[in-house]
Amino acid sequence: MTTHGDDDGATVDDVTSTISEEAGTLRKNGGLLTNWPYPPSGGWAADDLDRLPEEGPNGELDFFKHVELVDGALIFMSPQKRFHDVVIRRLASSFEAQAPERLAVATQMDVTLGVRQRPCPDVLLIDATLDHDHDRTSYTPEEVHLVVEVVSPESKLRDREVKPPRYAAAGIAHFWRIEEEGGKPVVYVYELDPATRAYVPTGIHHGRLSLEVPFPFEIDLADLLS
């Protein structure tokens, strides 16, 4: 389910100033949901996700627990397959075991890319200095070194075509997409071309993944499901 928003191409420079300017009085004291399911005046903005109540407009428990903002539209994430959950946890654990001290691992945390863009990647590598900031609800692109999306049946279009260009335009250096093929994980690896601000595919990995960037990392992909 989505609610209609705009599709303007917000940039990273928009994050610090425009969000606050656009968050008017209608966004205070529950005003975000005044005209639900239509967006508030001016459309949905990244900061709105921090103002959404725990319950839905009709008292539904955890209604807004799993929601992200893409192109100004609220995306409600569907219940996930076991494959999705296991791969996220196993990959995060492998990252924690092998990542250098300068990096920390986060799972299913938002990244604010612009006024209308606040996706929630499945796994992230962030600056280690942020690891103990337990009040954070979102990171900026400058704080993120890698985003990983584990594809679900309902997220194929977003994970394959919609989100990657937005991550790249924001300057996030590394993007991985993990898909289930024949019951096994396959990892599609991309690296940012700084000249074009677009991702370049660097490999499709079956069976075993061995990379030198963003840090030396090696894993038997079967371990992601074991």
Side-chain angles (χ1 to χ4, degrees), residues 116-175:
R116 307 295 180 198
Q117 311 290 349
R118 184 169 162 173
C120 182
D122 291 312
V123 185
L124 307 86
L125 286 177
I126 59 173
D127 290 335
T129 54
L130 306 171
D131 196 31
H132 299 292
D133 184 355
H134 296 161
D135 293 326
R136 292 289 290 268
T137 60
S138 179
Y139 299 106
T140 67
E142 294 83 359
E143 298 168 332
V144 177
H145 302 270
L146 165 71
V147 292
V148 182
E149 295 286 4
V150 181
V151 177
S152 298
E154 59 86 23
S155 71
K156 284 183 179 179
L157 179 64
R158 294 195 304 277
D159 293 342
R160 291 175 175 177
E161 300 180 27
V162 178
K163 290 185 181 180
R166 286 147 182 79
Y167 292 139
I172 296 175
H174 300 277
F175 171 74

Side-chain angles (χ1 to χ4, degrees), residues 14 24 27 35 63 72 76-77 88 95-96 103 119 125 134 138 148 156 159 162 164 188 195 208 219 224:
D14 294 325
R27 286 173 155 76
N35 297 312
F63 186 80
F76 290 82
M77 290 171 274
I88 289 173
F95 278 164
E96 289 174 344
L103 298 175
L125 286 177
H134 296 161
S138 179
V148 182
K156 284 183 179 179
D159 293 342
V162 178
Y188 296 77
R208 192 163 195 85
I219 187 173
L224 293 179

Side-chain angles (χ1 to χ4, degrees), residues 16-95:
T16 57
S17 61
T18 313
I19 291 176
S20 297
E21 294 171 4
E22 292 192 357
T25 56
L26 191 62
R27 286 173 155 76
K28 298 179 181 178
N29 301 321
L32 280 169
L33 304 183
T34 299
N35 297 312
W36 180 264
Y38 300 101
S41 177
W44 295 102
D47 263 7
D48 289 336
L49 271 63
D50 290 325
R51 301 186 182 93
L52 291 171
E54 293 183 3
E55 297 181 346
N58 297 309
E60 303 93 336
L61 184 63
D62 292 333
F63 186 80
F64 294 106
K65 185 175 182 179
H66 299 292
V67 63
E68 58 185 347
L69 184 72
V70 178
D71 294 340
L74 294 182
I75 307 296
F76 290 82
M77 290 171 274
S78 302
Q80 301 297 332
K81 294 171 60 176
R82 179 66 172 166
F83 174 89
H84 188 270
D85 173 66
V86 172
V87 168
I88 289 173
R89 291 190 290 107
R90 297 286 193 275
L91 181 62
S93 178
S94 297
F95 278 164

